[in-house]
Amino acid sequence: MTTSHAGWTDELARARLHFVTGKGGTGKTTLAAALGLALAREGRRVLLIEVEGRQGIAQLFDTEPLPYAEQRIAAVPGGGELRALHIDVEAALLEYFEMFYNLGFAGRTLRRMGAIEFATTLAPGLRDVLLTGKIKECVGRTESDGRHTYDAVVVDSPPTGRVVKFLDVTKALTDLAKTGPIRGQADGVVRLLHSGETAVHLATLLEEMPVRETVEAVAELDGADLRPGAVLVNRVRPPRLPARSVTAAADGRVDASRVRDGLASAGLKLPQATLEALVDETVEHAVRVAAEQRAREQLAEADLPTLELPDLTDGVDVAALYDLAEALTDQGVRL
């Protein structure tokens, strides 16, 4: 069996576009934000993009809902900054009309008529082409001195079940124009997404369903010639038992008398009911630790760099995001 690589690789450090996906409930939005903060260290400027319309980034950073505009959302030690953008599909389509067809006024008229919703319903692939097209524009944008506006762009992406369809713009194009500006723009998106500048990271928990979906998503990304990045294992809790004791404890083999004697030698005398509850808790903990070890072994089959983030028992606030960013930095995350 292959083993997962620890930490961030030099190859990932060269990427400028980072998608973060994961099964619902794995904390992918939190990890996308933490990754953005980690990459913005040492004076970097990073853009964090949201594409699903949930305003999850604004909630995380405790700010007003994000407009369709890039705005500073956090300062980072060392002079870096994190900006955020909520991509509105309707606004992105109007932007396309204006950029490529000089139809700003007509576009606004179309919006009033509801034609934009009609167009994205008629050609579902158009939505993803618009979203990824705007992402490409942010990645490629340069300043007057020729430097990129953003050192990196991080995208809080659709969940694993939809991410390949979202990123596989080539297939989306079969339903759209064969030529013209939108086709040309989309071809540029395809080149970017399939290049070494792009990595797709997978958020997961050490639980059976998220791990299985992660491994399946890696295979699907490989099949679409999209590059999986790192596995971000969220909410990792430290084991409280020696490794040699886990198997026996998980099978229910916990010697209550030894536990009682050990506590007594430490000056603790517990009622029998409390001792029994402690033994039950030990068994439950061992069962969880054993299941997490099996999950790690299954993740190792993906043969990807793996980073672990601690379980935040007090919930996620802005301070916790910085703590998670620091944990990523400690595991080598950099540009």
Side-chain angles (χ1 to χ4, degrees):
M1 180 176 20
T2 55
T3 56
S4 292
H5 308 288
W8 201 249
T9 65
D10 290 340
E11 190 178 10
L12 291 177
R14 289 191 289 272
R16 293 187 54 248
L17 175 56
H18 300 264
F19 292 93
V20 179
T21 184
K23 180 177 170 59
T26 57
K28 70 179 178 65
T29 301
T30 299
L31 297 187
L35 179 60
L37 288 170
L39 293 174
R41 293 175 69 92
E42 298 181 9
R44 310 284 191 175
R45 180 184 291 169
V46 174
L47 179 64
L48 178 61
I49 295 179
E50 182 173 53
V51 296
E52 291 189 282
R54 295 183 296 106
Q55 290 289 350
I57 292 171
Q59 293 172 36
L60 268 181
F61 285 91
D62 196 24
T63 66
E64 294 294 315
L66 296 171
Y68 182 53
E70 295 150 39
Q71 63 181 40
R72 185 179 180 189
I73 200 166
V76 180
E81 71 171 14
L82 183 65
R83 295 186 181 182
L85 170 66
H86 171 87
I87 301 182
D88 176 79
V89 175
E90 194 173 85
L93 184 53
L94 292 177
E95 193 172 67
Y96 264 71
F97 281 141
E98 204 155 348
M99 284 170 60
F100 296 124
Y101 298 103
N102 197 23
L103 291 176
F105 174 76
R108 288 188 291 275
T109 304
L110 285 170
R111 178 168 56 182
R112 283 197 299 273
M113 292 167 56
I116 291 173
E117 185 180 348
F118 174 74
T120 54
T121 303
L122 192 65
L126 177 60
R127 177 186 177 87
D128 293 340
V129 169
L130 290 170
L131 293 169
T132 52
K134 180 60 181 177
I135 291 167
K136 171 188 174 289
E137 187 272 320
C138 293
V139 172
R141 192 188 312 151
T142 56
E143 301 296 292
S144 56
D145 62 1
R147 292 184 60 185
H148 283 112
T149 302
Y150 295 106
D151 296 294
V153 172
V154 178
V155 183
D156 177 19
S157 311
T160 44
R162 299 205 309 270
V163 73
V164 170
K165 185 178 179 184
F166 171 69
L167 294 173
D168 199 357
V169 182
T170 309
K171 286 184 179 172
L173 281 173
T174 59
D175 298 325
L176 299 173
K178 305 299 181 191
T179 59
I182 286 185
R183 176 66 193 231
Q185 170 77 347
D187 285 342
V189 171
V190 171
R191 284 193 296 274
L192 171 64
L193 297 186
H194 292 268
S195 75
E197 284 199 278
T198 299
V200 185
H201 308 294
L202 300 110
T204 189
L205 306 175
L206 289 175
E207 297 173 5
E208 182 181 358
M209 287 299 291
V211 165
R212 184 187 307 163
E213 199 161 308
T214 297
V215 173
E216 289 171 356
V218 170
E220 201 177 348
L221 287 164
D222 282 335
D225 194 28
L226 294 160
R227 183 159 67 110
V231 175
L232 307 175
V233 184
N234 199 14
R235 300 179 201 149
V236 175
R237 293 167 288 185
R240 306 295 183 189
L241 291 171
R244 65 180 183 277
S245 304
V246 169
T247 301
D251 288 340
R253 289 180 277 130
V254 178
D255 189 336
S257 61
R258 282 187 64 188
V259 174
R260 183 179 60 246
D261 293 345
L263 290 170
S265 67
L268 293 172
K269 188 173 182 181
L270 300 180
Q272 184 63 26
T274 305
L275 181 65
E276 290 173 0
L278 188 60
V279 168
D280 289 343
E281 207 169 302
T282 301
V283 172
E284 287 176 16
H285 176 76
V287 168
R288 177 178 65 78
V289 171
E292 289 177 350
Q293 183 54 39
R294 289 193 297 273
R296 279 193 173 91
E297 291 168 0
Q298 194 175 351
L299 282 176
E301 296 173 12
D303 196 24
L304 293 176
T306 302
L307 295 87
E308 295 195 352
L309 288 304
D311 186 27
L312 301 174
T313 53
D314 295 331
V316 179
D317 56 13
V318 176
L321 289 175
Y322 282 93
D323 289 342
L324 290 173
E326 189 171 346
L328 290 172
T329 303
D330 289 344
Q331 294 172 81
V333 170
R334 66 199 184 281
L335 285 173

